[in-house]
Amino acid sequence: MSSTSPKILLRRLGLRPRKAWGQNFLLHPHQAQRIVAALELSGQETVVEIGPGLGALTVFLAPAAGKVVALERDPALAQFLEAELFPENPRVEILNQDALAFDFRECRRLTKKPLAVAGNLPYQITSPLLFKLMEAKTALSRAVLMMQQEVGDRLLSPPGTKDYGIISVLIQYHFSLERLFSLGPGNFYPPPQVDSVVLRLTPREPVPAARDEALLSRVVKAAFAHRRKTLTNTVVNRAPDFGLTPATIRRIFLTLQIDPGRRGETLSVAQFVELSNAIGVSSKQ
Ligand code: SAM
């Protein structure tokens, strides 16, 4: 591996870090190693890396994985990785593309094994990428991702807290989450404004399971549409969106022993699932 600092390497390549693409490069190889170690790779798996940048993680992923598919949006960085860091390396495939356009399911079909995902995420795409990973959950074995501390807090937060929101409910439904470690701005070039955190996400079989995951998303989004409003003002009043009358939804709340005077943010993940399952059954009657 080149131990050249990102600053010197970028200068040599005639590049500047691009804020618009969340380019904050890891400075210390041992931090990259910690992230790769957390994937607990067996040497056989395919790892999809999001935003390899100058290859800080990729150089440790390549010897530990069967194959690395690295998705880098910046053509200059993709060219550097391909031509200089991993020339003709059959274990590393650099794709100059937007990670949000990547087809995880198709990649899993081709590799015939669940995919591991790694990345020091560009902060602009963190939420859409997480939604994408939820959709592709069955194609994945696990993910180890670095993100803004604030986003990590949101993912991990329990019901009734100010950070608990749509993405908390849905990610906790689809994945078991572990907070691994935090890194301050001084670990990156250029330093970002905020702290970062590394989380491990493992797909889970939720109990209870949602009969219709798209409906679960719609119910959760309705419940959080106005944070300060009660479930009566959000879900009950939006009954027609679910093909039901307000009276039917009120009856569902009664059966589930959920007081519709509560705010959506107080419901547990399991209660959201029960609510969406009951709405689904009633709307088919
Ligand atoms: N992995 C490197 C590291 O840890 O030093 C770079 C991480 S940097 C935070 C994020 C990387 O993602 C940058 O290289 C950036 O160009 C790339 N990137 C930004 N948006 C992207 C997208 N939509 N798809 C793929 N890569 C993207």
Side-chain angles (χ1 to χ4, degrees):
M1 175 209 175
S2 156
S3 56
T4 316
S5 78
K7 189 173 182 177
I8 292 171
L9 202 47
L10 287 172
R11 196 179 301 146
R12 176 167 77 66
L13 296 169
L15 303 172
R16 280 165 181 272
R18 295 181 67 151
K19 211 173 175 177
W21 285 344
Q23 293 183 349
N24 301 98
F25 301 97
L26 261 175
L27 284 174
H28 309 298
H30 71 274
Q31 303 294 14
Q33 272 172 309
R34 288 174 82 191
I35 295 174
V36 174
L39 274 174
E40 296 174 355
L41 294 166
S42 69
Q44 307 296 316
E45 294 103 322
T46 295
V47 181
V48 178
E49 187 188 352
I50 314 297
L54 293 163
L57 297 176
T58 332
V59 292
F60 295 110
L61 289 170
K67 174 153 190 176
V68 182
V69 178
L71 312 173
E72 176 51 63
R73 182 173 188 173
D74 185 331
L77 295 180
Q79 159 73 16
F80 161 75
L81 292 166
E82 174 87 54
E84 289 200 39
L85 212 52
F86 302 105
E88 288 165 33
N89 185 331
R91 293 164 80 106
V92 182
E93 188 176 352
I94 308 292
L95 299 178
N96 177 207
Q97 77 160 81
D98 182 346
L100 296 178
F102 185 68
D103 190 338
F104 286 90
R105 287 172 199 259
E106 177 63 5
C107 182
R108 192 246 178 267
R109 199 182 63 74
L110 294 173
T111 58
K112 300 190 173 59
K113 277 190 230 111
L115 309 167
V117 180
N120 167 13
L121 299 180
Y123 70 92
Q124 292 88 342
I125 70 163
T126 305
S127 290
L129 185 84
L130 289 168
F131 279 103
K132 201 173 160 69
L133 295 182
M134 291 186 232
E135 272 173 34
K137 162 175 94 163
T138 53
L140 312 178
S141 62
R142 58 215 180 278
V144 174
L145 304 172
M146 174 138 60
M147 62 193 73
Q148 286 174 269
Q149 179 87 48
E150 182 201 323
V151 179
D153 288 345
R154 230 182 295 149
L155 301 188
L156 293 162
S157 62
T161 58
K162 75 170 175 29
D163 286 338
Y164 187 65
I166 296 168
I167 201 163
S168 334
V169 177
L170 296 178
I171 205 95
Q172 290 172 25
Y173 173 77
H174 289 286
F175 294 95
S176 301
L177 303 175
E178 292 159 85
R179 184 191 171 288
L180 301 182
F181 57 93
S182 295
L183 289 182
N187 288 282
F188 304 88
Y189 172 77
Q193 308 277 348
V194 293
D195 286 340
S196 302
V197 66
V198 179
L199 302 190
R200 180 166 40 219
L201 291 75
T202 312
R204 62 187 282 258
E205 289 298 329
V207 180
R211 295 209 185 91
D212 177 345
E213 289 180 357
L215 179 61
L216 172 65
S217 293
R218 285 171 54 219
V219 170
V220 173
K221 284 176 187 162
F224 282 99
H226 306 281
R227 269 197 95 87
R228 304 196 59 78
K229 292 195 177 171
T230 64
L231 290 161
T232 299
N233 287 316
T234 54
V235 180
V236 175
N237 287 351
R238 293 172 83 166
D241 294 357
F242 303 108
L244 298 175
T245 62
T248 308
I249 299 221
R250 252 185 245 110
R251 210 164 37 244
I252 289 173
F253 276 117
L254 200 66
T255 314
L256 297 176
Q257 298 183 323
I258 299 171
D259 175 0
R262 285 164 62 178
R263 290 184 187 157
E265 73 216 42
T266 65
L267 262 58
S268 68
V269 175
Q271 284 177 316
F272 273 116
V273 174
E274 283 164 356
L275 179 60
S276 86
N277 283 349
I279 289 176
V281 169
S282 296
S283 65
K284 286 197 184 88
Q285 283 168 356

